[in-house]
């Protein structure tokens, strides 16, 4: 039996109904948009009326009569003054509109994904923060994470940026190994690729983990606002030091927290050792120190790599010599040792005579030695003295006569440094993305932050004597004769160089690099 087709009204009725619903929904949305102010005012009037009823119900019976009398008197006064009813109506409508506005709900806790992260982190900490003998464990499988995480913050990607962890009192927070296990666990569970700062408060049994922002790499070589005897090694976190200096960043002037190294007779860290990987920025650090030292003293440079990284200093005022060969290095360092002895004798004779030290013993002398291990191998092969032995006198006695030694070496050759160099260089800098065991072997203690895998040149850590370990970013001070150097950085370095033998002679640049007038960045002095 053949099927009969449905009537047309039944086959096309579904489409008409759907179209009608769409038209009705559009009309309702349009009416809502048009009537939105009226809806808001109506909602506000309803809330004001409800508030009034609540206050009237809460008023004691013996006070309702006086209250009603005051309200009636107020209404009468408003009705009698000019434009009183209009002003009252506008005021009531404004209050109703403000009361009836749609407020964005305030978030009072983590969402489902964030709560899941906190729960997983809590479960991961259970084996470390619990023991079977604890009758009321703070950490237990299936327990409440809200009892242990009193403060937490997330970024836009749902990853933790700050966390305050409460741990039991019996946890061995005084042992470095136990603390390191917790820090590694939090680092892995909170997301890699970022640097975390861990602050342990043993008195209240709390650990605060926070994400550190990346240090700025936009600060180039420039004149820093310092006094004689102060050298800016680089810049660190704002809360790590109690001082800022004005710096030029592009076309703007801002404030940056510096790592200031103080030298001179009263310094407890008169000499510095910088260690890093190839390309980590140790040569950039020495070049930055040389440009700052030339403001008030003389510089002697001994370069073991032989790549000409300090050629821009050759022949400049205040630069005694730039030696790249073994014979020149031995001659230069031997002169430096004799000069240190001469200064010591002259200063001692002046003190015995009751006079001030001669002026030629007060001018700072900086000895910058880059990769001395190379000269050590060459000297051993040639049967000569290791140049590091000539640093013994400046390292031991140079502080009293304004002689400062700065040594830079790579990690693969740090074992070739002499015992005198390692003992008397109490200011330490480690550059490059290396592990914390290597950092601790140089600085003496491990940083309180997690290691960074991918770091820019000049990025590392600094420790002055027995002070804390600070994150460090060396100001960009590249070789101005290098073709890979940007024009802005080239001009910044050339502007800081002292005049050469002929002040009117232009700076000799490599072929293909245009010469531009030297315009040093100006930094306003502190009031």
């Amino acid at each position: 039996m053949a099927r009969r087709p449905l009537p047309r009204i039944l086959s096309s009725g579904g489409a008409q109904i759907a179209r009608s619903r769409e038209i009705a929904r559009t009309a309702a949305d349009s009416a809502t948009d048009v009537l939105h102010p009226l809806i808001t005012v109506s909602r506000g009037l309803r809330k004001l009326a409800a508030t009034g009823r609540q206050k009237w119900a809460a008023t004691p019976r013996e006070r309702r009569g006086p209250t009603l009398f005051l309200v009636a008197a107020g209404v009468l006064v408003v009705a009698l003054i000019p434009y009183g009813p209009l002003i009252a109506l506008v005021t009531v409508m404004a209050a109703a509109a403000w009361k009836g506005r749609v407020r964005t709900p305030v978030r009072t806790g983590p969402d489902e994904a964030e709560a899941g992260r906190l729960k997983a982190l809590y479960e991961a900490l259970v084996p470390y923060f619990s023991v079977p003998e604890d009758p009321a464990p703070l950490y237990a499988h299936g327990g409440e994470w809200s009892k242990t995480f009193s403060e937490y913050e997330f970024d836009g990607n749902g990853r933790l940026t700050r966390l305050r962890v409460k741990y039991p009192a019996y946890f061995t927070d005084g042992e470095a190994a136990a603390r390191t296990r917790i820090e590694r666990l939090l680092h892995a569970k909170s997301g890699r690729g970022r640097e975390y700062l861990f602050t342990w408060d043993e008195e209240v049994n709390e650990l605060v983990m926070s994400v550190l922002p990346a240090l700025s790499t936009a600060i180039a070589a420039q004149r820093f606002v310092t006094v004689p005897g102060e050298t800016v090694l680089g810049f660190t976190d704002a809360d790590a030091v109690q001082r800022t200096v004005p710096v030029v960043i592009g076309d703007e002037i801002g404030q940056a927290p510096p790592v200031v190294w103080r030298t001179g007779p009263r310094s407890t860290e008169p000499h510095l050792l910088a260690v890093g990987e190839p390309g980590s920025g140790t040569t950039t650090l020495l070049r930055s120190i040389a440009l700052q030292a030339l403001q008030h003293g003389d510089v002697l440079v001994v370069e073991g790599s032989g790549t000409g990284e300090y050629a821009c200093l050759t022949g400049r005022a205040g630069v005694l010599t730039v030696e790249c060969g073994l014979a020149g290095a031995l001659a230069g360092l031997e002169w430096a040792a004799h000069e240190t002895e001469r200064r010591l004798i002259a200063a001692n004779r002046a003190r015995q005579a009751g006079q001030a030290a001669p002026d030629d013993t007060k001018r700072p002398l900086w000895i910058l030695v880059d990769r001395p291990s190379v000269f050590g191998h060459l000297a051993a092969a040639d049967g000569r003295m290791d140049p590091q032995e000539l640093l013994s006198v400046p390292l031991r006695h140079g502080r009293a006569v304004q002689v400062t030694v700065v040594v830079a070496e790579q990690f693969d050759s740090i074992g070739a440094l002499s015992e005198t160099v390692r003992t008397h260089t109490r200011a330490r800098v480690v550059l490059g993305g290396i592990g914390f065991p290597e950092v601790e072997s140089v600085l003496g203690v491990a940083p309180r932050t997690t290691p960074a895998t991918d770091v820019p040149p000049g990025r590392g850590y600094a420790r002055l004597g027995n002070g804390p370990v600070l994150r460090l970013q060396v100001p960009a001070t590249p070789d101005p004769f290098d073709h890979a150097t940007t024009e802005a950085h080239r001009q910044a370095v050339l502007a800081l160089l002292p005049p050469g033998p002929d002040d009117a002679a232009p700076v000799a640049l490599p072929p293909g690099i245009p010469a531009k007038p030297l315009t040093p960045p100006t930094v306003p002095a502190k009031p």
Side-chain angles (χ1 to χ4, degrees):
M1 182 176 181
R3 292 185 177 181
R4 295 182 181 180
L6 294 174
R8 183 176 181 182
I9 186 172
L10 295 179
S11 61
S12 60
Q16 292 180 356
I17 293 173
R19 192 179 305 112
S20 301
R21 289 178 179 175
E22 185 65 27
I23 293 174
R25 189 180 299 108
T26 303
D29 294 341
S30 301
T32 302
D33 294 338
V34 173
L35 300 177
H36 180 71
L38 182 59
I39 296 173
T40 302
V41 172
S42 301
R43 188 188 305 117
L45 290 174
R46 187 170 62 254
K47 291 183 178 180
L48 289 176
T51 303
R53 285 196 302 269
Q54 292 176 0
K55 289 189 175 297
W56 178 259
T59 303
R61 291 183 176 275
E62 62 274 10
R63 296 180 57 184
R64 290 184 179 182
T67 303
L68 188 60
F69 175 77
L70 291 177
V71 172
V75 172
L76 180 61
V77 171
V78 170
L80 293 178
I81 63 175
Y83 304 104
L86 180 60
I87 295 175
L89 179 62
V90 173
T91 303
V92 172
M93 292 296 103
W98 177 259
K99 193 73 174 178
R101 73 190 189 280
V102 178
R103 302 179 183 179
T104 303
V106 179
R107 183 176 173 182
T108 58
D111 56 21
E112 184 177 355
E114 295 172 352
R117 279 180 172 267
L118 294 174
K119 180 63 176 177
L121 188 58
Y122 173 85
E123 294 289 339
L125 291 173
V126 169
Y128 300 92
F129 286 154
S130 63
V131 293
E133 297 81 8
D134 191 352
L138 187 62
Y139 287 82
H141 292 293
E144 287 291 335
W145 58 263
S146 58
K147 297 180 180 179
T148 59
F149 301 155
S150 58
E151 182 182 348
Y152 44 83
E153 295 178 6
F154 292 87
D155 59 9
N157 298 325
R159 297 199 300 174
L160 277 168
T161 58
R162 183 178 176 84
L163 180 66
R164 184 180 296 273
V165 181
K166 185 176 181 59
Y167 56 88
Y170 52 76
F171 176 72
T172 56
D173 52 4
E175 299 179 3
R179 294 164 64 155
T180 301
R181 287 194 297 268
I182 300 300
E183 293 174 359
R184 289 179 178 176
L185 174 63
L186 293 176
H187 179 206
K189 293 295 183 180
S190 302
R192 300 184 182 274
R194 301 181 296 177
E195 289 188 79
Y196 295 87
L197 174 65
F198 296 96
T199 304
W200 293 81
D201 192 346
E202 293 88 349
E203 295 183 358
V204 296
N205 300 323
E206 285 187 350
L207 167 62
V208 177
M209 180 193 70
S210 57
V211 176
L212 294 173
L215 296 178
S216 175
T217 59
I219 303 177
Q222 55 192 275
R223 293 295 183 208
F224 301 113
V225 181
T226 56
V227 299
E230 291 185 346
T231 303
V232 175
L233 300 179
F235 298 90
T236 184
D237 299 297
D239 57 349
V241 294
Q242 300 178 354
R243 175 181 175 181
T244 60
V245 295
V247 293
V248 177
I249 306 177
D251 297 333
E252 300 179 354
I253 297 178
Q255 297 288 330
V259 178
V260 178
W261 173 39
R262 294 174 177 85
T263 57
R266 293 178 176 82
S267 173
T268 57
E269 306 88 19
H271 310 295
L272 182 139
L273 172 63
V275 183
E277 297 178 326
S280 60
T282 54
T283 302
T284 297
L285 174 62
L286 262 64
R287 195 182 296 112
S288 175
I289 292 175
L291 293 178
Q292 298 180 62
L294 287 173
Q295 299 181 67
H296 309 288
D298 300 324
V299 175
L300 185 151
V301 181
V302 176
E303 180 188 0
S305 59
T307 56
E309 295 285 346
Y310 305 92
C312 60
L313 300 175
T314 305
R316 298 287 174 177
V319 180
L320 302 178
T321 182
V322 178
E323 299 295 343
C324 299
L326 176 60
L330 289 172
L333 294 180
E334 185 177 2
W335 175 88
H338 291 323
E339 173 64 13
T340 304
E341 294 175 348
R342 184 197 68 80
R343 291 188 177 199
L344 288 171
I345 295 173
N348 186 34
R349 289 176 178 175
R351 283 193 294 267
Q352 290 180 356
Q355 301 175 356
D359 293 338
D360 59 352
T361 64
K362 297 180 180 179
R363 182 170 176 82
L365 172 61
W366 292 73
I367 305 173
L368 309 182
V369 184
D370 194 351
R371 298 207 64 189
S373 61
V374 177
F375 289 125
H377 294 305
L378 295 177
D382 202 18
R384 296 190 181 185
M385 177 192 302
D386 189 345
Q388 294 187 60
E389 298 181 10
L390 297 172
L391 292 174
S392 177
V393 175
L395 286 172
R396 294 176 184 273
H397 309 289
R399 178 179 62 177
V401 288
Q402 298 281 356
V403 177
T404 303
V405 179
V406 181
V407 179
E409 191 53 81
Q410 294 184 2
F411 265 104
D412 55 0
S413 303
I414 193 173
L417 293 177
S418 65
E419 185 65 25
T420 304
V421 172
R422 290 196 295 265
T423 302
H424 292 85
T425 51
R426 289 176 46 82
R428 300 289 180 89
V429 173
V430 178
L431 301 179
I434 55 179
F436 275 12
E438 292 81 4
V439 176
E440 186 176 0
S441 65
V442 177
L443 301 183
V445 295
R448 295 188 303 164
T449 61
T450 54
T453 55
D454 187 13
V455 296
R459 176 70 172 80
Y461 300 92
R463 189 188 185 204
L464 304 179
N466 296 326
V469 178
L470 305 175
R471 294 202 305 165
L472 179 71
Q473 179 62 52
V474 178
T477 315
D479 182 10
F481 295 164
D482 189 356
H483 286 275
T485 303
T486 62
E487 188 61 28
H489 288 167
R490 178 180 294 109
Q491 293 301 322
V493 175
L494 293 177
L496 298 178
L497 290 173
D502 187 1
D503 295 344
V507 179
L509 296 176
I513 299 180
K516 292 188 177 181
L518 304 183
T519 55
T522 58
V523 177
K526 283 188 174 182

